[in-house]
Amino acid sequence: MLLSSWCYAQTVVVTPTVTKAIMSNDHAKNAKKDTVTESDTSKENKEPRYFYLSLNTNFFVNTKGGVAKRFSPALEFGRTYGIFDIGLAAGGFSPASVGSDTSHYIEFRPTINVFSSGRFSEGLCFGGGYVFGAKQGLVTEIGNSINFNITTTVAIAVTQGFYFFDGTNSSRNTQYMGFSLTYNFLRKHSVNNQRKKKALVTTGS
């Protein structure tokens, strides 16, 4: 009788202790999950929203001259709304690409994700901007990209498309191909980062 009472008392004492330890461990695991809600988190349609920065390195493919005359770099900063990007790019065209009066340009670049499968996606861009100090000052762009998301924050892409230059007395167009490197400003344990992860493993078109 005494032995049974002693065993029961020990069970009563040990059981709450073990339960508290398990609950504490579960709480620690949950704390590491992506639960931080950022100010730009969409609550309506659960889409990832974040800022990004891209380095674009384009090369004109229908222009005479060496690499220096074909090279057209640009830096783009923008924001992603699910499958839609809105960015502002600044860069330069080589003298051989537009004429002797070519200088730097600024361009508004909206891009939509038209296809995605896992870490791969395809984007379509319709851009427009201005070439400072050029006779063919108006520039428009039609381009597309094949993107690969290395992580939720880093992506690379192969790009190709056309630039159209228009002025009062002349106009021309040129084709380009290139590469881009993008960094997404996502906090490690955030809801937006969690949604980005889900987007990378979701297949579809």
Side-chain angles (χ1 to χ4, degrees), residues 103-121:
S103 61
H104 299 291
Y105 74 93
I106 188 169
E107 181 188 4
F108 176 65
R109 302 185 79 248
T111 303
I112 187 170
N113 183 6
V114 296
F115 171 82
S116 64
S117 180
R119 293 181 180 270
F120 290 92
S121 64

mmCIF file with all atom_site columns, all heavy atoms in Angstrom, residues 103-121:
data_model
loop_
_atom_site.group_PDB
_atom_site.id
_atom_site.type_symbol
_atom_site.label_atom_id
_atom_site.label_alt_id
_atom_site.label_comp_id
_atom_site.label_asym_id
_atom_site.label_entity_id
_atom_site.label_seq_id
_atom_site.pdbx_PDB_ins_code
_atom_site.Cartn_x
_atom_site.Cartn_y
_atom_site.Cartn_z
_atom_site.occupancy
_atom_site.B_iso_or_equiv
_atom_site.pdbx_formal_charge
_atom_site.auth_seq_id
_atom_site.auth_comp_id
_atom_site.auth_asym_id
_atom_site.auth_atom_id
_atom_site.pdbx_PDB_model_num
ATOM 1   N N   . SER A 1 103 ? 24.347 59.333 -74.049 1.00 0.00 ? 103 SER A N   1
ATOM 2   C CA  . SER A 1 103 ? 24.781 59.501 -72.660 1.00 0.00 ? 103 SER A CA  1
ATOM 3   C C   . SER A 1 103 ? 23.994 58.546 -71.782 1.00 0.00 ? 103 SER A C   1
ATOM 4   O O   . SER A 1 103 ? 23.428 57.569 -72.271 1.00 0.00 ? 103 SER A O   1
ATOM 5   C CB  . SER A 1 103 ? 24.592 60.955 -72.218 1.00 0.00 ? 103 SER A CB  1
ATOM 6   O OG  . SER A 1 103 ? 23.232 61.330 -72.291 1.00 0.00 ? 103 SER A OG  1
ATOM 7   N N   . HIS A 1 104 ? 23.910 58.818 -70.512 1.00 0.00 ? 104 HIS A N   1
ATOM 8   C CA  . HIS A 1 104 ? 23.223 57.931 -69.576 1.00 0.00 ? 104 HIS A CA  1
ATOM 9   C C   . HIS A 1 104 ? 21.703 58.009 -69.734 1.00 0.00 ? 104 HIS A C   1
ATOM 10  O O   . HIS A 1 104 ? 21.170 58.973 -70.272 1.00 0.00 ? 104 HIS A O   1
ATOM 11  C CB  . HIS A 1 104 ? 23.619 58.286 -68.150 1.00 0.00 ? 104 HIS A CB  1
ATOM 12  C CG  . HIS A 1 104 ? 25.078 58.136 -67.890 1.00 0.00 ? 104 HIS A CG  1
ATOM 13  N ND1 . HIS A 1 104 ? 25.714 56.916 -67.858 1.00 0.00 ? 104 HIS A ND1 1
ATOM 14  C CD2 . HIS A 1 104 ? 26.048 59.066 -67.668 1.00 0.00 ? 104 HIS A CD2 1
ATOM 15  C CE1 . HIS A 1 104 ? 26.999 57.083 -67.617 1.00 0.00 ? 104 HIS A CE1 1
ATOM 16  N NE2 . HIS A 1 104 ? 27.225 58.389 -67.504 1.00 0.00 ? 104 HIS A NE2 1
ATOM 17  N N   . TYR A 1 105 ? 21.036 57.008 -69.218 1.00 0.00 ? 105 TYR A N   1
ATOM 18  C CA  . TYR A 1 105 ? 19.584 56.960 -69.346 1.00 0.00 ? 105 TYR A CA  1
ATOM 19  C C   . TYR A 1 105 ? 18.939 56.535 -68.038 1.00 0.00 ? 105 TYR A C   1
ATOM 20  O O   . TYR A 1 105 ? 19.576 55.962 -67.146 1.00 0.00 ? 105 TYR A O   1
ATOM 21  C CB  . TYR A 1 105 ? 19.173 55.992 -70.460 1.00 0.00 ? 105 TYR A CB  1
ATOM 22  C CG  . TYR A 1 105 ? 19.321 54.531 -70.109 1.00 0.00 ? 105 TYR A CG  1
ATOM 23  C CD1 . TYR A 1 105 ? 18.258 53.805 -69.571 1.00 0.00 ? 105 TYR A CD1 1
ATOM 24  C CD2 . TYR A 1 105 ? 20.538 53.862 -70.315 1.00 0.00 ? 105 TYR A CD2 1
ATOM 25  C CE1 . TYR A 1 105 ? 18.397 52.462 -69.250 1.00 0.00 ? 105 TYR A CE1 1
ATOM 26  C CE2 . TYR A 1 105 ? 20.671 52.529 -69.998 1.00 0.00 ? 105 TYR A CE2 1
ATOM 27  C CZ  . TYR A 1 105 ? 19.603 51.830 -69.455 1.00 0.00 ? 105 TYR A CZ  1
ATOM 28  O OH  . TYR A 1 105 ? 19.750 50.505 -69.133 1.00 0.00 ? 105 TYR A OH  1
ATOM 29  N N   . ILE A 1 106 ? 17.645 56.803 -67.946 1.00 0.00 ? 106 ILE A N   1
ATOM 30  C CA  . ILE A 1 106 ? 16.825 56.336 -66.831 1.00 0.00 ? 106 ILE A CA  1
ATOM 31  C C   . ILE A 1 106 ? 15.567 55.703 -67.421 1.00 0.00 ? 106 ILE A C   1
ATOM 32  O O   . ILE A 1 106 ? 15.040 56.192 -68.425 1.00 0.00 ? 106 ILE A O   1
ATOM 33  C CB  . ILE A 1 106 ? 16.479 57.491 -65.858 1.00 0.00 ? 106 ILE A CB  1
ATOM 34  C CG1 . ILE A 1 106 ? 15.795 56.933 -64.595 1.00 0.00 ? 106 ILE A CG1 1
ATOM 35  C CG2 . ILE A 1 106 ? 15.623 58.553 -66.537 1.00 0.00 ? 106 ILE A CG2 1
ATOM 36  C CD1 . ILE A 1 106 ? 15.670 57.966 -63.488 1.00 0.00 ? 106 ILE A CD1 1
ATOM 37  N N   . GLU A 1 107 ? 15.109 54.604 -66.824 1.00 0.00 ? 107 GLU A N   1
ATOM 38  C CA  . GLU A 1 107 ? 14.012 53.842 -67.427 1.00 0.00 ? 107 GLU A CA  1
ATOM 39  C C   . GLU A 1 107 ? 13.084 53.267 -66.376 1.00 0.00 ? 107 GLU A C   1
ATOM 40  O O   . GLU A 1 107 ? 13.533 52.730 -65.347 1.00 0.00 ? 107 GLU A O   1
ATOM 41  C CB  . GLU A 1 107 ? 14.576 52.703 -68.280 1.00 0.00 ? 107 GLU A CB  1
ATOM 42  C CG  . GLU A 1 107 ? 13.522 51.851 -68.976 1.00 0.00 ? 107 GLU A CG  1
ATOM 43  C CD  . GLU A 1 107 ? 14.109 50.635 -69.649 1.00 0.00 ? 107 GLU A CD  1
ATOM 44  O OE1 . GLU A 1 107 ? 15.327 50.396 -69.518 1.00 0.00 ? 107 GLU A OE1 1
ATOM 45  O OE2 . GLU A 1 107 ? 13.342 49.896 -70.300 1.00 0.00 ? 107 GLU A OE2 1
ATOM 46  N N   . PHE A 1 108 ? 11.802 53.364 -66.619 1.00 0.00 ? 108 PHE A N   1
ATOM 47  C CA  . PHE A 1 108 ? 10.774 52.731 -65.799 1.00 0.00 ? 108 PHE A CA  1
ATOM 48  C C   . PHE A 1 108 ? 10.527 51.339 -66.363 1.00 0.00 ? 108 PHE A C   1
ATOM 49  O O   . PHE A 1 108 ? 10.212 51.190 -67.543 1.00 0.00 ? 108 PHE A O   1
ATOM 50  C CB  . PHE A 1 108 ? 9.495  53.569 -65.836 1.00 0.00 ? 108 PHE A CB  1
ATOM 51  C CG  . PHE A 1 108 ? 8.337  52.964 -65.101 1.00 0.00 ? 108 PHE A CG  1
ATOM 52  C CD1 . PHE A 1 108 ? 8.383  52.801 -63.721 1.00 0.00 ? 108 PHE A CD1 1
ATOM 53  C CD2 . PHE A 1 108 ? 7.199  52.559 -65.773 1.00 0.00 ? 108 PHE A CD2 1
ATOM 54  C CE1 . PHE A 1 108 ? 7.314  52.243 -63.033 1.00 0.00 ? 108 PHE A CE1 1
ATOM 55  C CE2 . PHE A 1 108 ? 6.128  52.004 -65.105 1.00 0.00 ? 108 PHE A CE2 1
ATOM 56  C CZ  . PHE A 1 108 ? 6.186  51.845 -63.719 1.00 0.00 ? 108 PHE A CZ  1
ATOM 57  N N   . ARG A 1 109 ? 10.671 50.286 -65.518 1.00 0.00 ? 109 ARG A N   1
ATOM 58  C CA  . ARG A 1 109 ? 10.631 48.907 -66.009 1.00 0.00 ? 109 ARG A CA  1
ATOM 59  C C   . ARG A 1 109 ? 9.614  48.051 -65.250 1.00 0.00 ? 109 ARG A C   1
ATOM 60  O O   . ARG A 1 109 ? 9.956  47.402 -64.261 1.00 0.00 ? 109 ARG A O   1
ATOM 61  C CB  . ARG A 1 109 ? 12.012 48.251 -65.916 1.00 0.00 ? 109 ARG A CB  1
ATOM 62  C CG  . ARG A 1 109 ? 13.101 48.972 -66.669 1.00 0.00 ? 109 ARG A CG  1
ATOM 63  C CD  . ARG A 1 109 ? 14.422 48.210 -66.640 1.00 0.00 ? 109 ARG A CD  1
ATOM 64  N NE  . ARG A 1 109 ? 14.429 47.113 -67.598 1.00 0.00 ? 109 ARG A NE  1
ATOM 65  C CZ  . ARG A 1 109 ? 14.448 45.835 -67.280 1.00 0.00 ? 109 ARG A CZ  1
ATOM 66  N NH1 . ARG A 1 109 ? 14.427 45.453 -66.029 1.00 0.00 ? 109 ARG A NH1 1
ATOM 67  N NH2 . ARG A 1 109 ? 14.469 44.902 -68.226 1.00 0.00 ? 109 ARG A NH2 1
ATOM 68  N N   . PRO A 1 110 ? 8.367  47.993 -65.696 1.00 0.00 ? 110 PRO A N   1
ATOM 69  C CA  . PRO A 1 110 ? 7.416  47.025 -65.127 1.00 0.00 ? 110 PRO A CA  1
ATOM 70  C C   . PRO A 1 110 ? 7.624  45.648 -65.762 1.00 0.00 ? 110 PRO A C   1
ATOM 71  O O   . PRO A 1 110 ? 7.779  45.527 -66.980 1.00 0.00 ? 110 PRO A O   1
ATOM 72  C CB  . PRO A 1 110 ? 6.059  47.618 -65.503 1.00 0.00 ? 110 PRO A CB  1
ATOM 73  C CG  . PRO A 1 110 ? 6.326  48.432 -66.724 1.00 0.00 ? 110 PRO A CG  1
ATOM 74  C CD  . PRO A 1 110 ? 7.742  48.914 -66.639 1.00 0.00 ? 110 PRO A CD  1
ATOM 75  N N   . THR A 1 111 ? 7.638  44.626 -64.936 1.00 0.00 ? 111 THR A N   1
ATOM 76  C CA  . THR A 1 111 ? 7.875  43.255 -65.401 1.00 0.00 ? 111 THR A CA  1
ATOM 77  C C   . THR A 1 111 ? 6.852  42.322 -64.763 1.00 0.00 ? 111 THR A C   1
ATOM 78  O O   . THR A 1 111 ? 6.568  42.423 -63.567 1.00 0.00 ? 111 THR A O   1
ATOM 79  C CB  . THR A 1 111 ? 9.290  42.779 -65.029 1.00 0.00 ? 111 THR A CB  1
ATOM 80  O OG1 . THR A 1 111 ? 10.253 43.678 -65.563 1.00 0.00 ? 111 THR A OG1 1
ATOM 81  C CG2 . THR A 1 111 ? 9.555  41.377 -65.567 1.00 0.00 ? 111 THR A CG2 1
ATOM 82  N N   . ILE A 1 112 ? 6.317  41.404 -65.570 1.00 0.00 ? 112 ILE A N   1
ATOM 83  C CA  . ILE A 1 112 ? 5.362  40.431 -65.057 1.00 0.00 ? 112 ILE A CA  1
ATOM 84  C C   . ILE A 1 112 ? 5.922  39.028 -65.246 1.00 0.00 ? 112 ILE A C   1
ATOM 85  O O   . ILE A 1 112 ? 6.569  38.721 -66.256 1.00 0.00 ? 112 ILE A O   1
ATOM 86  C CB  . ILE A 1 112 ? 3.983  40.559 -65.766 1.00 0.00 ? 112 ILE A CB  1
ATOM 87  C CG1 . ILE A 1 112 ? 2.958  39.658 -65.083 1.00 0.00 ? 112 ILE A CG1 1
ATOM 88  C CG2 . ILE A 1 112 ? 4.089  40.257 -67.266 1.00 0.00 ? 112 ILE A CG2 1
ATOM 89  C CD1 . ILE A 1 112 ? 1.537  39.890 -65.545 1.00 0.00 ? 112 ILE A CD1 1
ATOM 90  N N   . ASN A 1 113 ? 5.694  38.183 -64.252 1.00 0.00 ? 113 ASN A N   1
ATOM 91  C CA  . ASN A 1 113 ? 6.101  36.794 -64.306 1.00 0.00 ? 113 ASN A CA  1
ATOM 92  C C   . ASN A 1 113 ? 5.028  36.006 -65.065 1.00 0.00 ? 113 ASN A C   1
ATOM 93  O O   . ASN A 1 113 ? 3.927  35.806 -64.559 1.00 0.00 ? 113 ASN A O   1
ATOM 94  C CB  . ASN A 1 113 ? 6.273  36.255 -62.882 1.00 0.00 ? 113 ASN A CB  1
ATOM 95  C CG  . ASN A 1 113 ? 6.759  34.830 -62.848 1.00 0.00 ? 113 ASN A CG  1
ATOM 96  O OD1 . ASN A 1 113 ? 7.094  34.244 -63.876 1.00 0.00 ? 113 ASN A OD1 1
ATOM 97  N ND2 . ASN A 1 113 ? 6.809  34.261 -61.671 1.00 0.00 ? 113 ASN A ND2 1
ATOM 98  N N   . VAL A 1 114 ? 5.358  35.572 -66.295 1.00 0.00 ? 114 VAL A N   1
ATOM 99  C CA  . VAL A 1 114 ? 4.364  34.912 -67.140 1.00 0.00 ? 114 VAL A CA  1
ATOM 100 C C   . VAL A 1 114 ? 4.369  33.392 -66.996 1.00 0.00 ? 114 VAL A C   1
ATOM 101 O O   . VAL A 1 114 ? 3.440  32.717 -67.432 1.00 0.00 ? 114 VAL A O   1
ATOM 102 C CB  . VAL A 1 114 ? 4.575  35.284 -68.623 1.00 0.00 ? 114 VAL A CB  1
ATOM 103 C CG1 . VAL A 1 114 ? 4.343  36.765 -68.829 1.00 0.00 ? 114 VAL A CG1 1
ATOM 104 C CG2 . VAL A 1 114 ? 5.980  34.892 -69.095 1.00 0.00 ? 114 VAL A CG2 1
ATOM 105 N N   . PHE A 1 115 ? 5.414  32.842 -66.376 1.00 0.00 ? 115 PHE A N   1
ATOM 106 C CA  . PHE A 1 115 ? 5.488  31.388 -66.191 1.00 0.00 ? 115 PHE A CA  1
ATOM 107 C C   . PHE A 1 115 ? 6.421  31.097 -65.022 1.00 0.00 ? 115 PHE A C   1
ATOM 108 O O   . PHE A 1 115 ? 7.433  31.771 -64.836 1.00 0.00 ? 115 PHE A O   1
ATOM 109 C CB  . PHE A 1 115 ? 6.018  30.707 -67.450 1.00 0.00 ? 115 PHE A CB  1
ATOM 110 C CG  . PHE A 1 115 ? 6.324  29.237 -67.253 1.00 0.00 ? 115 PHE A CG  1
ATOM 111 C CD1 . PHE A 1 115 ? 5.315  28.293 -67.315 1.00 0.00 ? 115 PHE A CD1 1
ATOM 112 C CD2 . PHE A 1 115 ? 7.613  28.816 -66.999 1.00 0.00 ? 115 PHE A CD2 1
ATOM 113 C CE1 . PHE A 1 115 ? 5.588  26.945 -67.121 1.00 0.00 ? 115 PHE A CE1 1
ATOM 114 C CE2 . PHE A 1 115 ? 7.905  27.468 -66.810 1.00 0.00 ? 115 PHE A CE2 1
ATOM 115 C CZ  . PHE A 1 115 ? 6.885  26.537 -66.881 1.00 0.00 ? 115 PHE A CZ  1
ATOM 116 N N   . SER A 1 116 ? 6.084  30.083 -64.234 1.00 0.00 ? 116 SER A N   1
ATOM 117 C CA  . SER A 1 116 ? 6.965  29.678 -63.141 1.00 0.00 ? 116 SER A CA  1
ATOM 118 C C   . SER A 1 116 ? 6.829  28.185 -62.888 1.00 0.00 ? 116 SER A C   1
ATOM 119 O O   . SER A 1 116 ? 5.745  27.610 -63.026 1.00 0.00 ? 116 SER A O   1
ATOM 120 C CB  . SER A 1 116 ? 6.634  30.454 -61.858 1.00 0.00 ? 116 SER A CB  1
ATOM 121 O OG  . SER A 1 116 ? 5.335  30.153 -61.409 1.00 0.00 ? 116 SER A OG  1
ATOM 122 N N   . SER A 1 117 ? 7.943  27.580 -62.539 1.00 0.00 ? 117 SER A N   1
ATOM 123 C CA  . SER A 1 117 ? 7.967  26.168 -62.191 1.00 0.00 ? 117 SER A CA  1
ATOM 124 C C   . SER A 1 117 ? 9.114  25.947 -61.219 1.00 0.00 ? 117 SER A C   1
ATOM 125 O O   . SER A 1 117 ? 10.287 25.957 -61.609 1.00 0.00 ? 117 SER A O   1
ATOM 126 C CB  . SER A 1 117 ? 8.148  25.296 -63.435 1.00 0.00 ? 117 SER A CB  1
ATOM 127 O OG  . SER A 1 117 ? 8.173  23.920 -63.087 1.00 0.00 ? 117 SER A OG  1
ATOM 128 N N   . GLY A 1 118 ? 8.773  25.802 -59.932 1.00 0.00 ? 118 GLY A N   1
ATOM 129 C CA  . GLY A 1 118 ? 9.808  25.657 -58.926 1.00 0.00 ? 118 GLY A CA  1
ATOM 130 C C   . GLY A 1 118 ? 10.680 26.891 -58.840 1.00 0.00 ? 118 GLY A C   1
ATOM 131 O O   . GLY A 1 118 ? 10.190 28.012 -58.715 1.00 0.00 ? 118 GLY A O   1
ATOM 132 N N   . ARG A 1 119 ? 11.981 26.697 -58.966 1.00 0.00 ? 119 ARG A N   1
ATOM 133 C CA  . ARG A 1 119 ? 12.921 27.811 -58.864 1.00 0.00 ? 119 ARG A CA  1
ATOM 134 C C   . ARG A 1 119 ? 13.079 28.592 -60.173 1.00 0.00 ? 119 ARG A C   1
ATOM 135 O O   . ARG A 1 119 ? 13.736 29.631 -60.209 1.00 0.00 ? 119 ARG A O   1
ATOM 136 C CB  . ARG A 1 119 ? 14.300 27.304 -58.414 1.00 0.00 ? 119 ARG A CB  1
ATOM 137 C CG  . ARG A 1 119 ? 14.310 26.773 -56.986 1.00 0.00 ? 119 ARG A CG  1
ATOM 138 C CD  . ARG A 1 119 ? 15.687 26.313 -56.567 1.00 0.00 ? 119 ARG A CD  1
ATOM 139 N NE  . ARG A 1 119 ? 15.679 25.811 -55.200 1.00 0.00 ? 119 ARG A NE  1
ATOM 140 C CZ  . ARG A 1 119 ? 15.906 26.565 -54.125 1.00 0.00 ? 119 ARG A CZ  1
ATOM 141 N NH1 . ARG A 1 119 ? 16.169 27.858 -54.285 1.00 0.00 ? 119 ARG A NH1 1
ATOM 142 N NH2 . ARG A 1 119 ? 15.881 26.054 -52.927 1.00 0.00 ? 119 ARG A NH2 1
ATOM 143 N N   . PHE A 1 120 ? 12.497 28.087 -61.258 1.00 0.00 ? 120 PHE A N   1
ATOM 144 C CA  . PHE A 1 120 ? 12.610 28.746 -62.554 1.00 0.00 ? 120 PHE A CA  1
ATOM 145 C C   . PHE A 1 120 ? 11.367 29.576 -62.853 1.00 0.00 ? 120 PHE A C   1
ATOM 146 O O   . PHE A 1 120 ? 10.252 29.211 -62.496 1.00 0.00 ? 120 PHE A O   1
ATOM 147 C CB  . PHE A 1 120 ? 12.810 27.713 -63.667 1.00 0.00 ? 120 PHE A CB  1
ATOM 148 C CG  . PHE A 1 120 ? 14.149 27.041 -63.654 1.00 0.00 ? 120 PHE A CG  1
ATOM 149 C CD1 . PHE A 1 120 ? 14.331 25.852 -62.963 1.00 0.00 ? 120 PHE A CD1 1
ATOM 150 C CD2 . PHE A 1 120 ? 15.230 27.603 -64.311 1.00 0.00 ? 120 PHE A CD2 1
ATOM 151 C CE1 . PHE A 1 120 ? 15.561 25.230 -62.940 1.00 0.00 ? 120 PHE A CE1 1
ATOM 152 C CE2 . PHE A 1 120 ? 16.468 26.990 -64.299 1.00 0.00 ? 120 PHE A CE2 1
ATOM 153 C CZ  . PHE A 1 120 ? 16.634 25.797 -63.609 1.00 0.00 ? 120 PHE A CZ  1
ATOM 154 N N   . SER A 1 121 ? 11.570 30.688 -63.544 1.00 0.00 ? 121 SER A N   1
ATOM 155 C CA  . SER A 1 121 ? 10.452 31.523 -63.977 1.00 0.00 ? 121 SER A CA  1
ATOM 156 C C   . SER A 1 121 ? 10.857 32.315 -65.207 1.00 0.00 ? 121 SER A C   1
ATOM 157 O O   . SER A 1 121 ? 12.043 32.449 -65.522 1.00 0.00 ? 121 SER A O   1
ATOM 158 C CB  . SER A 1 121 ? 10.011 32.484 -62.866 1.00 0.00 ? 121 SER A CB  1
ATOM 159 O OG  . SER A 1 121 ? 11.046 33.399 -62.558 1.00 0.00 ? 121 SER A OG  1
#
